[in-house]
Amino acid sequence: MKNNNYSFYALSIAALLFTSSMISSCNSTEEKEEQVLVKQGFQIPELLEREKDLSYDEFLKIREKFNKLSFEAGNEKTKIESLIKLSEIYIYEARVTGEHPYYYNAALVTLNETLKDTAKMTADQHFTALFYKSTVQLSQHKFNEALITGKQALALNNTNSGIYGVLVDANVEIGNYEEAVKNCDKMISIRPDLRSYSRISYLREIYGDMKGSVKSMEQAIEAGAPYSEYKCWTIVTMGKMLENHNQLDSAMAYYQFSAKERANYPFGIAGMASVEAKRGNYAKADSLYTVALNAVPEIGFIIDQAKLYKKQGKKGEMKRLVPRIESMFQEDIESGHNVNMEYAFFLLDFKKDYKRALDLGLKEYKLRPNNIDVNRLLAFAYYANGDNENAAKHIKIAMKTNKQEGDLYCISGLINKDQKQIKKGFAIDPYQDHLFADRARKMI
């Protein structure tokens, strides 16, 4: 979920890049790694078992398809096409199950196998393999690499709307917002659908146009296929956007909608938990987070649950979750996932390790200095380290697009000693729970 720790948008990239072509593991981390990292030659990574409550009927169809494709991959004539379709399954399962370290690596290994000899591929296969690889790179937060791979795919096919979605996402995360808008215009001109409308919504949100953002997200939801994970993800995205602007009743309605559209949808359940926490229904919120986590091992859910305990003063319960969160970050890092920004916010909020958080923020800044969220992180980190001069420099960049985000105005007000900005921040989102929220409240 979107909070100061994990960017909801960055986590949702892969979910919006695929269409309806698709119909938590019990293994240990070590076993999963062994299933992907083979000592000699390429082997097809295994399909992990899903939790029974996680759309298991859908999984049975996917498993049947997986077995068929695995068999066909043994035939030289059908190998490439089968491997590409298997990579699509891995990407989808990463989204549904939350097993990101395993499945994104499985997809990359499989796609790289197909790209070893492009002379054997058709133009369409070459394009699709590059397109899928770029989406995995986005999901692993390797945004500069994704942009390069996406442009390679675009050179092979400039009429596919999905590849423009990759370019939108990569440019947004790098901080090339004007270029992202151009690519989004091209995307929707080719195919106005859930993927393109959702991107218009996010770009409008970045530029401070909340009415336009909500309207575009409504169009995205209407364009989504019933029951699909992609539609439900979009519904939850709408809910989170409304929640972050103090429209709790509307947000709850969207979260409930997602859980009805797709039974036991964990991201919808976690959204309900977030609203219940803000309403002061802590026990209900805790139970909902537990339900969501039983379905999907999503780090954002655990972070939010830890924040819930922190809000209640349950330091023991919160501290018990911290090692688990750190372990999950480490697993992501070892699998090749860039979590500099997300880990830095965790260090600020839970470990009070301001220096290390700043170091990670600066590391990410070298990769994408124009991104507003990276600069927001640096504003928090520099302020935490008592460096107001650099904090002011970065908050100025963070606010350059006029994004209407509560904590953005709050930290800006603290840095600049501007009470009006702090008041505006809490008017947007009165439920802020970041490191300096209490300090800011005392100033108004």
Side-chain angles (χ1 to χ4, degrees), residues 2-4 202 205 208 210 244-245 372-373 376 398-399 402-411 421 424-426 428-429 432:
K2 186 181 184 303
N3 51 38
N4 291 333
Y202 187 66
E205 184 185 3
M210 286 306 301
N244 288 341
H245 284 78
I372 58 175
D373 290 323
R376 181 186 64 168
M399 299 184 77
N402 194 39
K403 189 175 184 181
Q404 300 298 295
E405 199 160 41
D407 66 347
L408 200 57
Y409 279 93
C410 188
I411 190 64
Q421 281 196 319
K424 182 172 181 178
F426 283 111
I428 294 170
D429 181 7
Q432 295 177 54

Side-chain angles (χ1 to χ4, degrees), residues 295-327:
V296 173
E298 184 64 48
I299 191 171
F301 299 169
I302 306 176
I303 289 172
D304 284 342
Q305 190 175 43
K307 283 195 168 190
L308 176 66
Y309 294 146
K310 186 178 180 181
K311 187 183 298 184
Q312 297 177 79
K314 295 182 176 181
K315 294 182 179 180
E317 287 88 336
M318 183 196 74
K319 287 181 179 179
R320 278 195 289 272
L321 291 181
V322 168
R324 182 180 175 189
I325 295 168
E326 288 190 292
S327 176

Side-chain angles (χ1 to χ4, degrees), residues 6 11 100 139-142 332-339:
Y6 243 27
L11 284 174
H100 306 141
S139 297
Q140 292 190 319
H141 297 184
K142 297 175 180 178
D332 273 342
I333 291 167
E334 290 172 358
S335 74
H337 190 167
N338 170 16
V339 293

Side-chain angles (χ1 to χ4, degrees), residues 135-364:
T135 67
V136 175
Q137 290 170 328
L138 285 170
S139 297
Q140 292 190 319
H141 297 184
K142 297 175 180 178
F143 306 117
N144 292 290
E145 293 178 28
L147 185 60
I148 293 170
T149 307
K151 286 181 177 179
Q152 290 172 347
L154 182 68
L156 296 172
N157 184 350
N158 64 0
T159 62
N160 180 285
S161 66
I163 195 59
Y164 287 100
V166 168
L167 300 182
V168 171
D169 296 336
N171 278 302
V172 162
E173 295 296 341
I174 292 169
N176 303 332
Y177 300 108
E178 291 183 6
E179 192 65 25
V181 171
K182 291 177 185 176
N183 284 297
C184 197
D185 287 343
K186 184 67 176 176
M187 183 182 189
I188 198 164
S189 72
I190 295 172
R191 187 172 182 178
D193 61 3
L194 179 148
R195 300 176 300 171
S196 52
Y197 284 131
S198 62
R199 283 173 173 80
I200 290 174
S201 173
Y202 187 66
L203 285 167
R204 286 177 171 172
E205 184 185 3
I206 285 174
Y207 281 101
D209 178 11
M210 286 306 301
K211 278 189 178 180
S213 181
V214 168
K215 181 179 178 181
S216 294
M217 197 61 77
E218 287 173 345
Q219 290 175 303
I221 292 168
E222 289 173 6
Y227 179 72
S228 70
E229 201 274 344
Y230 315 110
K231 178 177 180 178
C232 289
W233 187 274
T234 306
I235 294 168
V236 170
T237 304
M238 171 72 103
K240 185 52 62 175
M241 184 164 52
L242 294 170
E243 181 187 344
N244 288 341
H245 284 78
N246 196 26
Q247 299 181 47
L248 298 189
D249 291 344
S250 296
M252 178 63 89
Y254 275 102
Y255 294 143
Q256 291 171 337
F257 175 23
S258 73
K260 288 179 181 177
E261 184 80 9
R262 189 176 175 90
N264 302 314
Y265 188 57
F267 292 95
I269 292 169
M272 291 183 229
S274 181
V275 172
E276 294 291 4
K278 288 174 180 177
R279 288 173 171 171
N281 301 327
Y282 298 139
K284 180 65 173 176
D286 192 19
S287 66
L288 287 168
Y289 278 131
T290 300
V291 171
L293 279 166
N294 284 339
V296 173
E298 184 64 48
I299 191 171
F301 299 169
I302 306 176
I303 289 172
D304 284 342
Q305 190 175 43
K307 283 195 168 190
L308 176 66
Y309 294 146
K310 186 178 180 181
K311 187 183 298 184
Q312 297 177 79
K314 295 182 176 181
K315 294 182 179 180
E317 287 88 336
M318 183 196 74
K319 287 181 179 179
R320 278 195 289 272
L321 291 181
V322 168
R324 182 180 175 189
I325 295 168
E326 288 190 292
S327 176
M328 293 179 77
F329 272 124
Q330 192 59 40
E331 184 181 3
D332 273 342
I333 291 167
E334 290 172 358
S335 74
H337 190 167
N338 170 16
V339 293
N340 291 332
M341 187 166 68
E342 297 77 18
Y343 194 22
F345 269 119
F346 167 77
L347 292 172
L348 286 173
D349 288 339
F350 290 96
K351 304 284 285 187
K352 302 296 185 289
D353 192 342
Y354 304 147
K355 184 182 182 302
R356 193 173 168 203
L358 179 59
D359 289 342
L360 285 172
L362 289 171
K363 185 177 179 181
E364 192 64 17

Side-chain angles (χ1 to χ4, degrees), residues 383 388 409-422 443:
Y383 185 74
N388 269 38
Y409 279 93
C410 188
I411 190 64
S412 179
L414 285 169
I415 292 166
N416 296 305
K417 297 180 174 59
D418 187 333
Q419 191 180 58
K420 288 184 179 179
Q421 281 196 319
I422 295 174
M443 289 183 65

